Amino acid sequence: MRKTGWRRRGAALVAATSVLVGGLTGVSSAGRPGPDRVDVRASEGRPGPDRVDVPASEGRPGPYRVNVLTYNVCAANNSDNTCTESLKPDRRRAWAGKVAALVRQRNVDVASFTEMCYAQVDLLQRKLPDYQMVWFGIDRAHSRGGGGDKCRRFWGDLTSRTTPPDKKTFGLALALKGRVLGQPLRRMLAVDAAPSPGSKVHPRGLLCATSMVGPRRSVSCVTHISETESPRQVEDLVARYAGRNPVILGGDFNRKPEDPQLTAVYGRGLGTGRYTEVGAGPYMAQRRTGTPTTRGGRKIDYVFATEADFMAAGAEVIKTRPELSDHLVLAGTFIGKARSPRRAAAPSPGS
């Protein structure tokens, strides 16, 4: 009888998740794009699926959908010169419209951006006036051998707002559907891992903001780390800022899913951390893998969410036409749920 009851409860949970997700993975009869259809057009017409909000029961929110997106936009080229094509004038002119179309079509609640220029925040805000843009400048986009600031040079023909007061034109950003509550966390990261011989240490940072995500006060974060900054450092900072609030953490981790350092982040029996990952498979079959998110064929971009608050409901890697970066867009959906009292009471790893 116990086994039968467990199976019934598990079947009911899967069925409820299927109703909420409603065709977000795969291609529906209406032609909605799925994992095998990654072409995104420039049109800003069709909105994405509506959020499903189930009335709260006993003071807890019922299941609700949270659509997420993360994108390394490679806005000022890089030392490997892999973004030259993406920064041609016609592609830069199309950039804000295409990214805004992705956000609109997928009804994104939390979007995170890495390798972004301050000018792009202004361009995107014009297309998404109902979203809250949160910015953290981590560096000046210097050109090697002179030539001035690359962010100002590449984007200055599209906006006069290229430079914030602190002159740091290159950094991280969040686009949030909900109103921002309180002060964001803007933190430069320390070098806490040994670099490989000959590798360069780059300024890296973490940006978090508190807002309403669906019916709950939640923390959304974005980071971009290299081999010299550990995922555990990021998680420790996020845990201290977020407290007991649900967390969505996106960005470029520069590590493949099987990297041992990501064990401190993954939960669900895949690691010692407290997160599920949007691209790691459905709720009952999590795995440390995922579709590559770079032109070079590596999965290094992620959107994590606290497993006590969310379950993964499917992800999609999207290639834009024309190509706007040497990374691809990672979009997906979490299903928010009532927090497990046992998980909520447990200390976070590293705390």
Side-chain angles (χ1 to χ4, degrees), residues 117 119 141 148-157 159 162-163 167 169:
C117 286
D149 187 296
K150 291 187 291 182
C151 280
R152 293 162 61 181
R153 176 158 53 88
F154 284 127
W155 300 94
D157 59 334
T159 176
T162 62
T163 311
K167 310 300 182 186
T169 57

Side-chain angles (χ1 to χ4, degrees), residues 185-223:
L185 172 71
R186 298 177 173 93
R187 182 68 61 86
M188 295 301 294
L189 298 176
V191 173
D192 64 345
S196 300
S199 65
K200 183 179 179 181
V201 176
H202 300 277
R204 299 298 188 189
L206 169 69
L207 169 66
C208 296
T210 304
S211 69
M212 294 302 295
V213 177
R216 299 185 66 182
R217 181 186 179 105
S218 303
V219 170
S220 301
C221 299
V222 57
T223 192

Side-chain angles (χ1 to χ4, degrees), residues 186-306:
R186 298 177 173 93
R187 182 68 61 86
M188 295 301 294
L189 298 176
V191 173
D192 64 345
S196 300
S199 65
K200 183 179 179 181
V201 176
H202 300 277
R204 299 298 188 189
L206 169 69
L207 169 66
C208 296
T210 304
S211 69
M212 294 302 295
V213 177
R216 299 185 66 182
R217 181 186 179 105
S218 303
V219 170
S220 301
C221 299
V222 57
T223 192
H224 185 187
I225 59 177
S226 59
E227 64 175 342
T228 56
E229 300 83 31
S230 70
R232 179 173 290 280
Q233 176 185 180
V234 171
E235 156 57 358
D236 287 348
L237 290 169
V238 171
R240 285 198 288 270
Y241 175 77
R244 294 173 58 85
N245 290 314
V247 175
I248 296 169
L249 168 62
D252 181 349
F253 284 71
N254 268 308
R255 287 161 177 81
K256 294 181 181 180
E258 63 271 18
D259 191 296
Q261 291 193 21
L262 287 178
T263 298
V265 182
Y266 276 103
R268 288 280 168 230
L270 302 177
T272 59
R274 59 185 187 129
Y275 291 89
T276 183
E277 205 272 316
V278 75
Y283 179 64
M284 302 286 284
Q286 291 274 292
R287 61 198 185 279
R288 282 174 67 161
T289 184
T291 304
T293 59
T294 70
R295 186 193 296 155
R298 297 186 300 155
K299 157 75 173 175
I300 58 175
D301 300 279
Y302 300 84
V303 185
F304 294 100
T306 41

Side-chain angles (χ1 to χ4, degrees), residues 3-313:
K3 279 190 175 181
T4 302
W6 182 89
R7 285 172 181 162
R8 285 175 180 167
R9 287 194 297 273
L13 178 58
V14 172
T17 303
S18 299
V19 170
L20 282 167
V21 175
L24 286 179
T25 56
V27 182
S28 72
S29 58
R32 202 155 47 213
D36 296 321
R37 295 184 60 181
V38 294
D39 176 21
V40 176
R41 306 295 178 179
S43 167
E44 293 191 30
R46 177 174 54 83
D50 292 333
R51 179 192 288 115
V52 177
D53 287 331
V54 180
S57 174
E58 298 180 359
R60 291 183 179 181
Y64 59 99
R65 173 183 289 145
V66 177
N67 297 321
V68 296
L69 179 154
T70 195
Y71 194 17
N72 180 321
V73 299
C74 202
N77 210 350
N78 52 35
S79 58
D80 296 327
N81 205 34
T82 58
C83 298
T84 304
E85 290 293 314
S86 306
L87 293 167
K88 285 184 175 180
D90 62 325
R91 301 192 185 193
R92 286 188 288 101
R93 286 193 295 269
W95 184 88
K98 285 186 175 291
V99 174
L102 278 170
V103 172
R104 294 281 188 215
Q105 289 166 1
R106 293 169 182 279
N107 196 21
V108 170
D109 298 279
V110 177
S112 56
F113 300 94
T114 55
E115 291 196 30
M116 196 175 196
C117 286
Y118 180 74
Q120 290 172 291
V121 175
D122 177 60
L123 295 171
L124 194 57
Q125 183 73 85
R126 295 182 202 178
K127 299 288 185 180
L128 299 172
D130 49 331
Y131 278 74
Q132 307 298 307
M133 300 296 299
V134 186
W135 164 258
F136 179 27
I138 61 174
D139 199 11
R140 300 185 185 189
H142 296 296
S143 294
R144 288 185 176 182
D149 187 296
K150 291 187 291 182
C151 280
R152 293 162 61 181
R153 176 158 53 88
F154 284 127
W155 300 94
D157 59 334
L158 299 177
T159 176
S160 60
R161 299 190 64 192
T162 62
T163 311
D166 64 3
K167 310 300 182 186
K168 292 184 177 180
T169 57
F170 185 76
L172 311 168
L174 293 165
L176 304 173
K177 183 180 289 185
R179 181 171 59 92
V180 175
L181 308 169
Q183 291 298 314
L185 172 71
R186 298 177 173 93
R187 182 68 61 86
M188 295 301 294
L189 298 176
V191 173
D192 64 345
S196 300
S199 65
K200 183 179 179 181
V201 176
H202 300 277
R204 299 298 188 189
L206 169 69
L207 169 66
C208 296
T210 304
S211 69
M212 294 302 295
V213 177
R216 299 185 66 182
R217 181 186 179 105
S218 303
V219 170
S220 301
C221 299
V222 57
T223 192
H224 185 187
I225 59 177
S226 59
E227 64 175 342
T228 56
E229 300 83 31
S230 70
R232 179 173 290 280
Q233 176 185 180
V234 171
E235 156 57 358
D236 287 348
L237 290 169
V238 171
R240 285 198 288 270
Y241 175 77
R244 294 173 58 85
N245 290 314
V247 175
I248 296 169
L249 168 62
D252 181 349
F253 284 71
N254 268 308
R255 287 161 177 81
K256 294 181 181 180
E258 63 271 18
D259 191 296
Q261 291 193 21
L262 287 178
T263 298
V265 182
Y266 276 103
R268 288 280 168 230
L270 302 177
T272 59
R274 59 185 187 129
Y275 291 89
T276 183
E277 205 272 316
V278 75
Y283 179 64
M284 302 286 284
Q286 291 274 292
R287 61 198 185 279
R288 282 174 67 161
T289 184
T291 304
T293 59
T294 70
R295 186 193 296 155
R298 297 186 300 155
K299 157 75 173 175
I300 58 175
D301 300 279
Y302 300 84
V303 185
F304 294 100
T306 41
E307 63 177 351
D309 307 291
F310 299 99
M311 52 188 177

